[in-house]
Amino acid sequence: QVQVVESGGGLVQAGESLRLSCAASGLTFSAAMGWFRQGPGKERDIIAAISRSGSSLYYSDSVKGRFTISRDYAKNTVYLQMNSLKPEDTAVYYCAADRRITFSTTARDYEYWGQGTQVTVSS
């Protein structure tokens, strides 16, 4: 049984940093992974993705240059390092995984989802 669990969210001030972790258990082989977020009254949007091999990365324009996605195969964990946080980064952050695809920035391509972790950035 596959489980995806996010951690690391919290309340920070603008300009500070957070690192989110996403542990995916039950996956025999590496999976395509993505980070999405959903702000109040907004749709769930992709912000970062990493391919199964780690060779392909994607960042949305809103986080490019500030966020970094990475993965540790030994721990079956994907990280999202978030620097220079802004109030508009406030959202619930979701991690997604799928072992059928190599890489995707589309939510519907991902089979497994975490429960989400809240990130709140105060001004």
Side-chain angles (χ1 to χ4, degrees):
Q1 183 175 355
V2 176
Q3 280 192 313
V4 177
V5 180
E6 305 100 335
S7 61
L11 171 63
V12 296
Q13 292 189 334
E16 294 184 341
S17 299
L18 276 176
R19 188 177 80 157
L20 304 183
S21 298
C22 172
S25 61
L27 290 171
T28 305
F29 301 101
S30 64
M33 306 288 290
W35 283 100
F36 295 75
R37 70 183 181 188
Q38 187 166 16
K42 297 182 179 180
E43 295 184 351
R44 188 175 300 188
D45 293 324
I46 179 78
I47 53 171
I50 187 166
S51 64
R52 291 173 64 178
S53 68
S55 60
S56 297
L57 304 176
Y58 167 84
Y59 297 99
S60 66
D61 288 342
S62 60
V63 307
K64 197 174 296 181
R66 300 187 297 124
F67 291 11
T68 303
I69 188 170
S70 62
R71 65 190 305 163
D72 183 330
Y73 291 96
K75 297 181 179 179
N76 231 4
T77 299
V78 171
Y79 303 98
L80 186 68
Q81 177 67 43
M82 306 187 296
N83 299 328
S84 303
L85 283 161
K86 305 175 181 179
E88 51 264 43
D89 294 318
T90 295
V92 178
Y93 284 68
Y94 297 91
C95 179
D98 198 285
R99 52 191 168 185
R100 304 165 298 177
I101 58 175
T102 300
F103 179 73
S104 178
T105 61
T106 305
R108 63 175 181 270
D109 288 339
Y110 287 91
E111 181 175 5
Y112 303 105
W113 290 81
Q115 79 289 349
T117 185
Q118 177 71 46
V119 172
T120 303
V121 184
S122 63
S123 57

mmCIF file of all heavy atoms in Angstrom, residues 39-63:
data_model
loop_
_atom_site.group_PDB
_atom_site.id
_atom_site.type_symbol
_atom_site.label_atom_id
_atom_site.label_comp_id
_atom_site.label_asym_id
_atom_site.label_seq_id
_atom_site.Cartn_x
_atom_site.Cartn_y
_atom_site.Cartn_z
ATOM 1 N N GLY A 39 -4.145 27.720 -2.451
ATOM 2 C CA GLY A 39 -4.393 28.843 -1.565
ATOM 3 C C GLY A 39 -5.866 29.020 -1.313
ATOM 4 O O GLY A 39 -6.701 28.406 -2.001
ATOM 5 N N PRO A 40 -6.230 29.859 -0.366
ATOM 6 C CA PRO A 40 -7.644 30.096 -0.058
ATOM 7 C C PRO A 40 -8.419 30.571 -1.275
ATOM 8 O O PRO A 40 -8.033 31.565 -1.902
ATOM 9 C CB PRO A 40 -7.584 31.175 1.028
ATOM 10 C CG PRO A 40 -6.218 31.070 1.600
ATOM 11 C CD PRO A 40 -5.327 30.639 0.480
ATOM 12 N N GLY A 41 -9.464 29.853 -1.619
ATOM 13 C CA GLY A 41 -10.299 30.231 -2.747
ATOM 14 C C GLY A 41 -9.659 30.030 -4.102
ATOM 15 O O GLY A 41 -10.155 30.551 -5.107
ATOM 16 N N LYS A 42 -8.562 29.285 -4.138
ATOM 17 C CA LYS A 42 -7.868 29.089 -5.416
ATOM 18 C C LYS A 42 -7.843 27.617 -5.796
ATOM 19 O O LYS A 42 -8.131 26.740 -4.980
ATOM 20 C CB LYS A 42 -6.439 29.623 -5.315
ATOM 21 C CG LYS A 42 -6.346 31.119 -5.048
ATOM 22 C CD LYS A 42 -4.909 31.570 -5.015
ATOM 23 C CE LYS A 42 -4.807 33.063 -4.769
ATOM 24 N NZ LYS A 42 -3.396 33.522 -4.736
ATOM 25 N N GLU A 43 -7.471 27.353 -7.021
ATOM 26 C CA GLU A 43 -7.331 25.983 -7.482
ATOM 27 C C GLU A 43 -5.980 25.414 -7.041
ATOM 28 O O GLU A 43 -5.073 26.143 -6.670
ATOM 29 C CB GLU A 43 -7.434 25.932 -9.010
ATOM 30 C CG GLU A 43 -8.800 26.335 -9.540
ATOM 31 C CD GLU A 43 -8.904 26.180 -11.043
ATOM 32 O OE1 GLU A 43 -7.875 25.919 -11.690
ATOM 33 O OE2 GLU A 43 -10.018 26.309 -11.571
ATOM 34 N N ARG A 44 -5.878 24.112 -7.102
ATOM 35 C CA ARG A 44 -4.628 23.454 -6.785
ATOM 36 C C ARG A 44 -3.701 23.543 -7.991
ATOM 37 O O ARG A 44 -4.037 23.069 -9.078
ATOM 38 C CB ARG A 44 -4.873 21.991 -6.419
ATOM 39 C CG ARG A 44 -3.652 21.279 -5.886
ATOM 40 C CD ARG A 44 -3.983 19.874 -5.433
ATOM 41 N NE ARG A 44 -4.983 19.873 -4.364
ATOM 42 C CZ ARG A 44 -5.334 18.781 -3.692
ATOM 43 N NH1 ARG A 44 -4.750 17.622 -3.963
ATOM 44 N NH2 ARG A 44 -6.250 18.838 -2.745
ATOM 45 N N ASP A 45 -2.540 24.154 -7.797
ATOM 46 C CA ASP A 45 -1.616 24.386 -8.901
ATOM 47 C C ASP A 45 -0.291 23.687 -8.672
ATOM 48 O O ASP A 45 0.191 23.597 -7.534
ATOM 49 C CB ASP A 45 -1.349 25.888 -9.074
ATOM 50 C CG ASP A 45 -2.579 26.645 -9.527
ATOM 51 O OD1 ASP A 45 -3.367 26.098 -10.328
ATOM 52 O OD2 ASP A 45 -2.754 27.797 -9.086
ATOM 53 N N ILE A 46 0.324 23.277 -9.755
ATOM 54 C CA ILE A 46 1.672 22.706 -9.695
ATOM 55 C C ILE A 46 2.664 23.819 -9.400
ATOM 56 O O ILE A 46 2.548 24.929 -9.931
ATOM 57 C CB ILE A 46 2.018 22.011 -11.032
ATOM 58 C CG1 ILE A 46 3.430 21.428 -10.979
ATOM 59 C CG2 ILE A 46 1.906 22.966 -12.210
ATOM 60 C CD1 ILE A 46 3.543 20.145 -10.227
ATOM 61 N N ILE A 47 3.624 23.524 -8.527
ATOM 62 C CA ILE A 47 4.686 24.492 -8.300
ATOM 63 C C ILE A 47 6.063 23.899 -8.585
ATOM 64 O O ILE A 47 6.987 24.616 -8.943
ATOM 65 C CB ILE A 47 4.661 25.080 -6.875
ATOM 66 C CG1 ILE A 47 4.662 23.983 -5.816
ATOM 67 C CG2 ILE A 47 3.470 26.004 -6.699
ATOM 68 C CD1 ILE A 47 4.858 24.521 -4.415
ATOM 69 N N ALA A 48 6.201 22.593 -8.441
ATOM 70 C CA ALA A 48 7.483 21.958 -8.725
ATOM 71 C C ALA A 48 7.269 20.488 -9.001
ATOM 72 O O ALA A 48 6.351 19.874 -8.460
ATOM 73 C CB ALA A 48 8.464 22.133 -7.567
ATOM 74 N N ALA A 49 8.131 19.929 -9.845
ATOM 75 C CA ALA A 49 8.051 18.505 -10.148
ATOM 76 C C ALA A 49 9.447 17.976 -10.423
ATOM 77 O O ALA A 49 10.333 18.726 -10.857
ATOM 78 C CB ALA A 49 7.141 18.254 -11.347
ATOM 79 N N ILE A 50 9.612 16.687 -10.173
ATOM 80 C CA ILE A 50 10.891 16.042 -10.421
ATOM 81 C C ILE A 50 10.627 14.676 -11.037
ATOM 82 O O ILE A 50 9.702 13.961 -10.635
ATOM 83 C CB ILE A 50 11.727 15.939 -9.123
ATOM 84 C CG1 ILE A 50 13.134 15.415 -9.401
ATOM 85 C CG2 ILE A 50 11.017 15.083 -8.075
ATOM 86 C CD1 ILE A 50 14.093 15.613 -8.230
ATOM 87 N N SER A 51 11.417 14.328 -12.016
ATOM 88 C CA SER A 51 11.213 13.068 -12.720
ATOM 89 C C SER A 51 11.709 11.885 -11.899
ATOM 90 O O SER A 51 12.396 12.036 -10.890
ATOM 91 C CB SER A 51 11.926 13.099 -14.066
ATOM 92 O OG SER A 51 13.333 13.208 -13.872
ATOM 93 N N ARG A 52 11.396 10.699 -12.375
ATOM 94 C CA ARG A 52 11.797 9.490 -11.667
ATOM 95 C C ARG A 52 13.309 9.405 -11.524
ATOM 96 O O ARG A 52 13.823 8.969 -10.503
ATOM 97 C CB ARG A 52 11.271 8.262 -12.408
ATOM 98 C CG ARG A 52 9.771 8.125 -12.339
ATOM 99 C CD ARG A 52 9.258 7.009 -13.220
ATOM 100 N NE ARG A 52 9.736 5.710 -12.787
ATOM 101 C CZ ARG A 52 9.389 4.571 -13.381
ATOM 102 N NH1 ARG A 52 8.589 4.597 -14.426
ATOM 103 N NH2 ARG A 52 9.854 3.438 -12.930
ATOM 104 N N SER A 53 14.030 9.845 -12.547
ATOM 105 C CA SER A 53 15.494 9.788 -12.506
ATOM 106 C C SER A 53 16.105 11.000 -11.805
ATOM 107 O O SER A 53 17.291 10.994 -11.476
ATOM 108 C CB SER A 53 16.047 9.710 -13.923
ATOM 109 O OG SER A 53 15.804 10.922 -14.608
ATOM 110 N N GLY A 54 15.300 12.021 -11.629
ATOM 111 C CA GLY A 54 15.808 13.254 -11.043
ATOM 112 C C GLY A 54 16.444 14.185 -12.050
ATOM 113 O O GLY A 54 16.886 15.277 -11.697
ATOM 114 N N SER A 55 16.461 13.782 -13.309
ATOM 115 C CA SER A 55 17.146 14.581 -14.327
ATOM 116 C C SER A 55 16.282 15.713 -14.864
ATOM 117 O O SER A 55 16.800 16.672 -15.442
ATOM 118 C CB SER A 55 17.595 13.690 -15.485
ATOM 119 O OG SER A 55 16.478 13.055 -16.076
ATOM 120 N N SER A 56 14.981 15.602 -14.706
ATOM 121 C CA SER A 56 14.072 16.648 -15.188
ATOM 122 C C SER A 56 13.404 17.327 -14.003
ATOM 123 O O SER A 56 12.911 16.658 -13.088
ATOM 124 C CB SER A 56 13.002 16.058 -16.099
ATOM 125 O OG SER A 56 13.581 15.504 -17.257
ATOM 126 N N LEU A 57 13.419 18.648 -14.051
ATOM 127 C CA LEU A 57 12.816 19.455 -12.999
ATOM 128 C C LEU A 57 11.879 20.475 -13.628
ATOM 129 O O LEU A 57 12.089 20.911 -14.766
ATOM 130 C CB LEU A 57 13.886 20.185 -12.188
ATOM 131 C CG LEU A 57 14.981 19.358 -11.532
ATOM 132 C CD1 LEU A 57 15.985 20.275 -10.863
ATOM 133 C CD2 LEU A 57 14.404 18.379 -10.534
ATOM 134 N N TYR A 58 10.887 20.858 -12.847
ATOM 135 C CA TYR A 58 9.977 21.911 -13.290
ATOM 136 C C TYR A 58 9.690 22.816 -12.101
ATOM 137 O O TYR A 58 9.528 22.346 -10.966
ATOM 138 C CB TYR A 58 8.659 21.319 -13.795
ATOM 139 C CG TYR A 58 7.583 22.379 -13.967
ATOM 140 C CD1 TYR A 58 7.513 23.143 -15.126
ATOM 141 C CD2 TYR A 58 6.676 22.631 -12.940
ATOM 142 C CE1 TYR A 58 6.555 24.124 -15.265
ATOM 143 C CE2 TYR A 58 5.722 23.625 -13.076
ATOM 144 C CZ TYR A 58 5.663 24.367 -14.233
ATOM 145 O OH TYR A 58 4.725 25.345 -14.375
ATOM 146 N N TYR A 59 9.619 24.118 -12.391
ATOM 147 C CA TYR A 59 9.189 25.103 -11.387
ATOM 148 C C TYR A 59 8.195 26.046 -12.039
ATOM 149 O O TYR A 59 8.404 26.483 -13.178
ATOM 150 C CB TYR A 59 10.368 25.913 -10.854
ATOM 151 C CG TYR A 59 11.406 25.100 -10.127
ATOM 152 C CD1 TYR A 59 12.567 24.691 -10.760
ATOM 153 C CD2 TYR A 59 11.205 24.721 -8.811
ATOM 154 C CE1 TYR A 59 13.518 23.930 -10.103
ATOM 155 C CE2 TYR A 59 12.154 23.960 -8.135
ATOM 156 C CZ TYR A 59 13.303 23.567 -8.788
ATOM 157 O OH TYR A 59 14.245 22.812 -8.129
ATOM 158 N N SER A 60 7.163 26.391 -11.316
ATOM 159 C CA SER A 60 6.254 27.404 -11.820
ATOM 160 C C SER A 60 6.951 28.761 -11.762
ATOM 161 O O SER A 60 7.895 28.960 -10.985
ATOM 162 C CB SER A 60 4.975 27.432 -10.990
ATOM 163 O OG SER A 60 5.255 27.869 -9.668
ATOM 164 N N ASP A 61 6.468 29.681 -12.540
ATOM 165 C CA ASP A 61 7.073 31.009 -12.565
ATOM 166 C C ASP A 61 7.007 31.680 -11.194
ATOM 167 O O ASP A 61 7.878 32.466 -10.830
ATOM 168 C CB ASP A 61 6.374 31.885 -13.604
ATOM 169 C CG ASP A 61 6.711 31.466 -15.022
ATOM 170 O OD1 ASP A 61 7.716 30.759 -15.213
ATOM 171 O OD2 ASP A 61 5.961 31.847 -15.939
ATOM 172 N N SER A 62 5.966 31.358 -10.453
ATOM 173 C CA SER A 62 5.769 32.018 -9.164
ATOM 174 C C SER A 62 6.812 31.628 -8.112
ATOM 175 O O SER A 62 7.003 32.350 -7.136
ATOM 176 C CB SER A 62 4.369 31.713 -8.626
ATOM 177 O OG SER A 62 4.204 30.321 -8.445
ATOM 178 N N VAL A 63 7.481 30.495 -8.307
ATOM 179 C CA VAL A 63 8.454 30.045 -7.298
ATOM 180 C C VAL A 63 9.858 29.886 -7.846
ATOM 181 O O VAL A 63 10.802 29.635 -7.091
ATOM 182 C CB VAL A 63 8.013 28.715 -6.641
ATOM 183 C CG1 VAL A 63 6.600 28.815 -6.109
ATOM 184 C CG2 VAL A 63 8.139 27.551 -7.622
#
